């Protein structure tokens, strides 16, 4: 049983079009409440109810929820680090996960139509389930190892898809496109020229001999490939404000 609510926590109004009295308050899930309505409630004309009413009820628990706790649709991950991310969950105890390997063409299709994009079943790398626990109505966070037993993924493009018991599937929060790389690319662009600098994600040292190919956001190749020199630098003629680079 909850402690009494102060008057400042309760908001009421009377609907004279259907003769209803409505009250709002910050009800908590899975909680017992008792509402006592006294005989002195008056309308705008001074008429009182003259009756007492006691209503007892219990609120339902929160609906099951789960989402990938990631910063956005696409995330970049180091090939040197364990392939791990986190999921948030509430009132559900099982998560079913599928990791797909994507092609470059898949990537551009997904970016142009994230809602309708469906990866090919032949690209499945791993399917597994994760049991999670949390107190009723409380959100908790659980680590997800993308590689069985822990470890890193090979450089490439991946899609993680999650389903949870009792949770309606939602493409924006239940799947995540993963870019795994051992190289960090820094792009600097100006009118007529783009400069790329490749460095190793573990050592920070420049990476030579990396062949870069530039695409626009629709997946159309732009210009010839460029290869990084001893300083990890490569240049390309043209403006690259909307370009995507692969190696």
């Amino acid at each position: 049983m909850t402690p009494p609510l102060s008057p400042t926590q309760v908001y009421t109004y009377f609907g004279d079009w259907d003769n209803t009295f409505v009250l709002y308050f910050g009800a908590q899930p899975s909680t017992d409440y008792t509402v006592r309505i006294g005989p002195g409630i008056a309308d705008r004309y001074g008429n009182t109810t003259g009756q007492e009413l006691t209503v007892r009820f219990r609120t339902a628990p929160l609906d099951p929820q789960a989402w990938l706790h990631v910063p956005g649709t696409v995330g970049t991950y180091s090939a040197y680090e364990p392939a791990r991310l986190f999921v948030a969950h509430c009132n559900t105890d099982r998560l079913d996960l599928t990791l797909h390997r994507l092609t470059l063409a898949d990537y551009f299709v997904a970016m142009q139509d994230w809602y309708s994009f469906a990866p090919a079943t032949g690209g499945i790398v791993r399917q597994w389930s994760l049991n999670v626990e949390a107190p009723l109505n409380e959100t908790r966070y659980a680590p997800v190892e993308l590689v069985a037993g822990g470890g890193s993924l090979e450089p490439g493009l991946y899609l993680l898809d999650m389903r949870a018991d009792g949770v309606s599937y939602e493409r924006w929060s239940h799947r995540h496109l993963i870019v795994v790389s051992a190289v960090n690319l820094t792009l600097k662009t100006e009118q007529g020229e783009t400069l790329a600098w490749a460095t190793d994600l573990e050592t920070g040292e420049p990476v030579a001999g990396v062949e870069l190919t530039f695409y626009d956001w629709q997946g159309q190749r732009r210009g010839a490939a460029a290869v990084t020199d001893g300083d990890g630098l490569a240049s390309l003629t043209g403006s690259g404000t909307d370009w995507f680079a692969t190696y």
Side-chain angles (χ1 to χ4, degrees), residues 140-206:
R140 290 291 187 268
Y141 299 87
V144 174
E145 301 291 344
L146 302 183
V147 176
S152 58
L153 285 169
E154 294 181 0
L157 301 169
Y158 301 85
L159 179 75
L160 179 66
D161 185 278
M162 181 185 72
R163 311 292 173 110
D165 280 355
V167 180
S168 297
Y169 181 69
E170 206 281 311
R171 290 170 175 81
W172 300 101
S173 58
H174 293 155
R175 62 184 187 179
H176 182 56
L177 203 154
I178 297 168
V179 180
V180 180
S181 176
V183 176
N184 179 71
L185 285 179
T186 301
L187 296 180
K188 182 177 181 180
T189 185
E190 62 179 4
Q191 188 67 35
E193 183 182 10
T194 296
L195 182 68
W197 185 36
T199 53
D200 188 272
L201 278 172
E202 184 174 46
T203 66
E205 295 296 321

Side-chain angles (χ1 to χ4, degrees), residues 194-234:
T194 296
L195 182 68
W197 185 36
T199 53
D200 188 272
L201 278 172
E202 184 174 46
T203 66
E205 295 296 321
V207 181
V210 177
E211 182 175 326
L212 302 174
T213 306
F214 292 85
Y215 299 83
D216 63 18
W217 69 276
Q218 293 179 313
Q220 299 299 312
R221 183 167 175 166
R222 291 292 188 90
V227 180
T228 59
D229 61 18
D231 294 321
L233 298 172

Side-chain angles (χ1 to χ4, degrees), residues 34-54:
T34 299
V35 177
R36 295 184 176 89
I37 301 175
I41 297 177
D43 62 16
R44 68 181 66 185
Y45 308 106
N47 302 308
T48 60
T49 60
Q51 298 176 329
E52 293 186 12
L53 179 65
T54 298

